[in-house]
Amino acid sequence: MTNIWKQGELIEVAIADLTDTGDGVGRYEERVVFVPDTVPGDRVQVRLLHVKPKYAHGKLIQLLHPSPHRIRPSCIVADKCGGCQWQHIDYEYQLEAKRNQVIQALQRIGGFTAPSVDPVLTAVSPLGYRNKSTYPVSVSSTGQVQAGYYQKGSHHLVNLNQCPVQDSRLNPLLAEVKQDIQKRGWKIYDEQRHQGQIRHLGLRIGRRTGEMLLTLVVTEWKLAGITEQAQEWLQRYPQLVGIALNRNPERTNAIFGAETRTIAGVPYLKEKFADLEFQVRPDTFFQVSTETAEALLEVIQSELNLQGDEVLVDAYCGIGTLTLPLAQRVRQAVGLELQAEAVEQAILNADRNSIHNVTFQVGAVENLLPQMGIIPNVVILDPPRKGCDRTVIDSLLRSKPARIVYVSCKVATLARDLKLLCQGGTYTLTRVQPADFFPQTSHVEAAAFLVL
């Protein structure tokens, strides 16, 4: 019989696995214990925090015996900052853990036996890869303007002057723009009292072009001296091409509001992706790791082996990041996207690259797909984290395109949707290619290939 365990109790645990949110998992007297900041192979002393009959969440108190996969983090605030969960885990093991996460989800949720999952596509570098960062802004107890990420599990801000996972060319802006905000006397937003002006600092860079955008998320458009300050920033940072304000007046956790205005320079940066030129705005969705996204696209192109006579539909197409390179290899391509602004940019990007065999439609994929009137040979699915609406799955099972590529940023919903598509033998899952878009975190992307 197992003993009763209590909140606050100290126990010793051997860590054996990682969850898909990045926490270590150990067992204690037949029960599961989740411990952040640990690595499989660690033996640790843990204080129990939230105790349930069959499992508990604990806090790492002491590392009794370190795992061979444990390394010294390359960031001095890695133990505090909530931006990364895995800086203490060596990169090879991170990749192994991510592949395992994909396999586990496909087996447990999808019901697939021995799914074919390739080794994870790696980032060019596990550091300095992010082309976009958005930092909450706050005021320290001594009145200094700060920007950084929240401490793990709290709303306490860890002030950063550089971040090892973002493109290092953005670091000077992170360090210096806070001081300019301080000098201007702009009020920092207080979420408890819902007062103040500046909520977030957004930085974005074209990895290939070096062009940068700086965005302040504000509660109101009126910001004394912003035009003058924007001109100062343009002069100080030669690579900075645009400064924007995004207005978010709501009590919400969402970072961006609905409207963005350019204060100085241009409203977008130019980026090269798959030998095409894209315009990327401050609030546009564009993959955070340019090079890994390109590597995944190459795998998709190679696996599809397009002959030039296909009709391709790209559902959840965004600004055409996948649609446009694939359109060059097919007879006709159609992009479906809910966000009208993204479609506007996709059309501009198609024109900019002289790609004329592609059309884009605005609307929910679950509404557009069933009424398209064409049966595509290939469908690309790249839905948000929640996965595909059931209507989308049903529509595909009715129209039966010969091939489906499902690109996913959450393997649990990928496995759920693949199960539905493969039930009854309609589709067969041939292979899954995971990709590491977010090194130092537990996130993993994956492209799954289905054939009729």
Side-chain angles (χ1 to χ4, degrees):
M1 190 181 128
T2 51
N3 298 322
I4 293 167
W5 54 359
K6 300 184 194 68
Q7 190 166 322
E9 190 180 338
L10 284 174
I11 61 169
E12 254 187 54
V13 182
I15 301 299
D17 203 354
L18 289 163
T19 67
D20 57 3
T21 55
D23 293 348
V25 185
R27 296 190 82 81
Y28 180 75
E29 295 185 348
E30 317 280 301
R31 293 171 289 198
V32 176
V33 187
F34 300 104
V35 191
D37 308 315
T38 57
V39 192
D42 278 347
R43 186 155 194 87
V44 290
Q45 187 186 52
V46 173
R47 188 179 300 287
L48 296 177
L49 298 180
H50 307 291
V51 176
K52 298 278 189 243
K54 293 195 174 162
Y55 69 92
H57 291 271
K59 181 184 181 187
L60 173 63
I61 299 298
Q62 195 183 348
L63 185 59
L64 303 171
H65 180 79
S67 162
H69 307 298
R70 180 178 276 279
I71 57 166
R72 182 190 286 277
S74 53
C75 176
I76 53 169
V77 293
D79 59 330
K80 300 182 189 70
C81 175
C84 302
Q85 301 106 355
W86 279 2
Q87 286 234 2
H88 59 289
I89 303 179
D90 79 58
Y91 189 53
E92 286 308 308
Y93 192 76
Q94 289 187 33
L95 296 173
E96 206 178 299
K98 290 186 185 196
R99 180 169 179 264
N100 196 36
Q101 204 186 112
V102 177
I103 293 168
Q104 296 272 330
L106 290 171
Q107 287 175 338
R108 277 204 325 267
I109 301 165
F112 294 94
T113 47
S116 171
V117 179
D118 295 339
V120 180
L121 278 179
T122 61
V124 176
S125 162
L127 295 169
Y129 64 86
R130 286 192 72 105
N131 59 32
K132 172 182 181 250
S133 299
T134 314
Y135 297 100
V137 181
S138 75
V139 181
S140 73
S141 53
T142 56
Q144 298 300 305
V145 172
Q146 300 184 315
Y149 290 119
Y150 290 120
Q151 198 162 351
K152 289 169 186 168
S154 83
H155 240 52
H156 173 71
L157 196 90
V158 177
N159 187 45
L160 300 174
N161 288 320
Q162 57 165 340
C163 175
V165 294
Q166 78 173 0
D167 189 308
S168 59
R169 292 169 288 182
L170 295 172
N171 285 331
L173 281 74
L174 173 58
E176 294 158 16
V177 167
K178 294 180 285 199
Q179 296 165 11
D180 300 319
I181 292 171
Q182 184 109 25
K183 281 185 207 140
R184 290 278 167 191
W186 294 330
K187 294 280 178 274
I188 303 305
Y189 179 68
D190 178 328
E191 60 185 353
Q192 257 73 50
R193 289 158 48 212
H194 194 53
Q195 288 174 349
Q197 298 165 293
I198 311 275
R199 296 175 75 131
H200 283 83
L201 165 63
L203 304 175
R204 189 159 221 172
I205 186 165
R207 295 277 286 175
R208 302 275 159 62
T209 62
E211 292 190 358
M212 299 181 195
L213 295 175
L214 187 162
T215 307
L216 294 178
V217 180
V218 293
T219 51
E220 55 190 79
W221 296 119
K222 203 167 158 39
L223 208 55
I226 182 61
T227 314
E228 185 187 16
Q229 182 59 64
Q231 290 303 330
E232 263 182 51
W233 283 329
L234 283 181
Q235 282 165 5
R236 191 191 307 160
Y237 308 111
Q239 298 298 100
L240 188 62
V241 295
I243 290 115
L245 293 182
N246 171 275
R247 181 169 167 267
N248 183 357
E250 308 298 326
R251 276 183 183 271
T252 173
N253 286 338
I255 294 173
F256 283 105
E259 200 185 343
T260 304
R261 289 183 186 172
T262 304
I263 303 301
V266 291
Y268 55 83
L269 60 78
K270 293 198 287 291
E271 176 61 313
K272 284 264 194 295
F273 181 84
D275 296 327
L276 299 174
E277 192 176 274
F278 283 82
Q279 288 185 7
V280 183
R281 292 174 182 263
D283 49 2
T284 297
F285 175 77
F286 191 76
Q287 292 294 5
V288 156
S289 178
T290 310
E291 295 86 349
T292 316
E294 238 176 24
L296 186 61
L297 169 66
E298 281 173 26
V299 171
I300 292 169
Q301 287 174 333
S302 162
E303 184 71 15
L304 286 175
N305 188 22
L306 298 162
Q307 300 302 303
D309 56 352
E310 294 90 351
V311 175
L312 177 141
V313 170
D314 183 6
Y316 317 91
C317 69
I319 63 167
T321 319
L322 294 177
T323 334
L324 297 180
L326 291 170
Q328 294 179 303
R329 295 163 180 250
V330 298
R331 179 163 56 83
Q332 184 192 354
V334 183
L336 312 178
E337 171 58 48
L338 183 62
Q339 254 200 321
E341 300 85 353
V343 167
E344 214 174 281
Q345 287 175 70
I347 292 166
L348 281 171
N349 287 326
D351 285 347
R352 174 177 280 270
N353 292 286
S354 304
I355 298 172
H356 304 303
N357 64 332
V358 60
T359 54
F360 293 96
Q361 297 178 22
V362 181
V365 172
E366 54 266 31
N367 297 336
L368 296 175
L369 198 60
Q371 57 188 37
M372 285 191 64
I374 54 167
I375 295 183
N377 310 88
V378 182
V379 171
I380 310 287
L381 299 169
D382 191 358
R385 290 177 70 77
K386 66 180 181 185
C388 292
D389 189 281
R390 185 63 199 255
T391 326
V392 173
I393 304 287
D394 291 342
S395 172
L396 291 167
L397 289 171
R398 270 197 311 276
S399 63
K400 294 191 175 64
R403 288 182 291 175
I404 297 173
V405 182
Y406 191 135
V407 182
S408 166
C409 57
K410 188 169 177 135
V411 289
T413 53
L414 169 70
R416 178 201 71 199
D417 291 350
L418 292 181
K419 182 180 185 177
L420 295 171
L421 286 163
C422 296
Q423 254 170 7
T426 311
Y427 282 95
T428 303
L429 176 65
T430 56
R431 68 182 275 214
V432 179
Q433 174 64 73
D436 193 14
F437 284 20
F438 294 91
Q440 317 305 335
T441 79
S442 59
H443 291 293
V444 61
E445 300 265 329
F449 297 94
L450 301 173
V451 294
L452 264 181

